[in-house]
Amino acid sequence: MAPRKKPFIAGNWKMHTTRAEARALVGEIVRASRALAEAEFVVIPPYTALAEAAETIAGSPVALGGQNLFWEDKGAYTGEISGPMLADAGCDFVLVGHSERRQDFGETDETVKKRIAAALRSRLRPIVCIGETLAERESGRTWDILGTQMAGGLDGLDEASFRRIVLAYEPVWAIGTGRTATPAQAEETQAFIRRQLEDKYGKEASSCAIILYGGSVKPANAYALFRERNIDGFLVGGASLEAASFIEIAAEAIKAFKEVK
Ligand code: PEP
């Protein structure tokens, strides 16, 4: 059975916040994080606000992430951002394969794999997103889809590199829709993901893996979700844009963590 880990709470701000808004939001999260030491926090602002966020988190336990990266380190790739640039901007993490990138920007398992390699080259920890659409779930293809996404994205990744990544199960039908997976649905799927990882990397490495749940996480559902054994934290979209709800999600997860150690 996977040991309980400190709740890992990441906020994906997507294409929101000016620099001033980002500074204010991170400031509130930093202040609250001091009283919530049992959680790990990552904020993932837009690129334009990374500098403000990096300044504001300095000396705090809050970590910084980028929303995407290109697989080359530099070159003639107008509009792209590289791993070395994100590391230089103060990032420790980077999202890879978010469903919005897969659906709207042509991300594939092959490009996910290349971005994971690029992130690791720059000592960034990739937060790798996987998840099925509603049609895929309803046609009984969830396990196939997740299995394929994992096999493709993690293809060739050795165990030491695997230990640097964070996985995020994000059912596409739950992202930004207000429709959350039930705790039982999320747990069933996350347990499946961990079993797949166990087949590939062994029991110890898979039980240490951080597997997040994402999809309409809110203060009202965070406690019940985090009580599930295979949910190690959350990737939060909409509710991370308000400090109060993001912090309350962390507080709810900590409450569940203390109860179900
Ligand atoms: C996300 O974008 O990763 C996400 C989970 O969004 P939301 O929380 O708004 O569903």
Side-chain angles (χ1 to χ4, degrees), residues 12 14 98 100 129 170 174-178 214-217 235-239:
N12 171 19
K14 311 193 186 191
H98 190 280
E100 286 154 15
C129 305
E170 297 208 300
I175 296 181
T177 59
S216 297
V217 176
L235 180 54
V236 187

Side-chain angles (χ1 to χ4, degrees), residues 113-133:
K113 174 177 151 177
K114 289 159 91 166
R115 289 182 215 275
I116 292 173
L120 293 170
R121 257 193 333 266
S122 290
R123 302 193 175 285
L124 295 166
R125 296 188 63 189
I127 301 175
V128 182
C129 305
I130 57 174
E132 81 289 359
T133 64

Side-chain angles (χ1 to χ4, degrees), residues 9 180 183 213 215-227 234 236-256:
I9 314 292
T180 322
Y213 168 79
S216 297
V217 176
K218 298 183 181 54
N221 55 32
Y223 171 81
L225 285 163
F226 200 83
R227 284 185 65 90
F234 301 122
V236 187
S240 70
L241 290 171
E242 279 190 16
S245 53
F246 188 59
I247 290 160
E248 210 182 323
I249 286 170
E252 290 294 310
I254 290 171
K255 194 165 100 188

Side-chain angles (χ1 to χ4, degrees), residues 7 38 45 49 62-63 67 81 94-96 148 172 190-191 198 204 231 243 260-261:
E38 291 97 338
V62 178
Q67 294 185 11
I81 191 156
V94 61
L95 287 179
V96 173
T148 303
V172 179
Q190 309 233 159
E198 185 178 331
E204 200 268 328
I231 298 180
V260 195
K261 268 205 172 164

Side-chain angles (χ1 to χ4, degrees), residues 132 134 137-138 142-143 146 169 171 173-174 179-193 213 225 228 231:
E132 81 289 359
L134 188 59
R137 178 161 278 262
E138 286 180 344
T142 300
W143 308 142
L146 296 176
Y169 167 57
W173 46 272
R179 184 177 166 184
T180 322
T182 63
Q185 269 174 329
E187 171 63 13
E188 182 189 28
T189 315
Q190 309 233 159
F192 166 82
I193 292 169
Y213 168 79
L225 285 163
E228 299 294 343
I231 298 180

Side-chain angles (χ1 to χ4, degrees), residues 57 62-66 86-87 90-94 123-126 164:
I57 63 168
V62 178
L64 190 62
L86 291 177
C91 292
D92 288 318
F93 293 88
V94 61
R123 302 193 175 285
L124 295 166
R125 296 188 63 189
R164 304 266 311 142

